[in-house]
Amino acid sequence: QVELVESGGGLVQAGGSLRLSCAASGRTSSNSAMGWFRQAPGKEREFVAAISWSRGSTNYADSVKGRFTISRDNAENTVYLQMNSLKPEDTAVYYCAVDLRTLVPSINAYDYDYWGQGTQVTVSS
């Protein structure tokens, strides 16, 4: 069992930046991946970015490529999402999640085993 706690959300103007953090506690595994998903009002949850824990391989949604960077600090058991050039369309609740049984940073929400509580990101125009 893994607990995930997101932080770093807030209100920012379009073009600004935020860095989200997700601290994991409990069981960890070298064959894990951690991902970020988001859900805007009236929208389905969508994939944002993911990273494999051991190798650092990454996947990004097309909508955030070149703007967002996912990274991890293995010593701190924390994953980050650096969000630059934010757009109003990025407004959503952002969730981190961990997939305990993969070497691939999956884009599929159903692959993930534990989820954080979410952190709100609001981008104003």
Side-chain angles (χ1 to χ4, degrees), residues 3-86:
E3 291 188 39
L4 303 171
V5 180
E6 303 99 330
S7 62
L11 174 65
V12 66
Q13 309 101 301
S17 298
L18 286 172
R19 189 178 76 157
L20 306 183
S21 300
C22 177
S25 61
R27 184 185 183 275
T28 59
S29 174
S30 62
N31 64 167
S32 296
M34 296 186 71
W36 288 96
F37 294 77
R38 66 188 183 187
Q39 188 164 21
K43 304 287 187 178
E44 293 188 350
R45 181 170 51 189
E46 66 174 349
F47 170 76
V48 177
I51 187 167
S52 63
W53 198 251
S54 60
R55 298 183 181 182
S57 302
T58 58
N59 276 323
Y60 293 94
D62 288 342
S63 60
V64 306
K65 285 180 180 177
R67 300 189 298 122
F68 291 10
T69 303
I70 189 170
S71 61
R72 84 274 197 253
D73 185 330
N74 293 50
E76 297 296 327
N77 218 25
T78 300
V79 65
Y80 304 96
L81 186 68
Q82 178 67 45
M83 305 185 294
N84 298 326
S85 301
L86 282 161

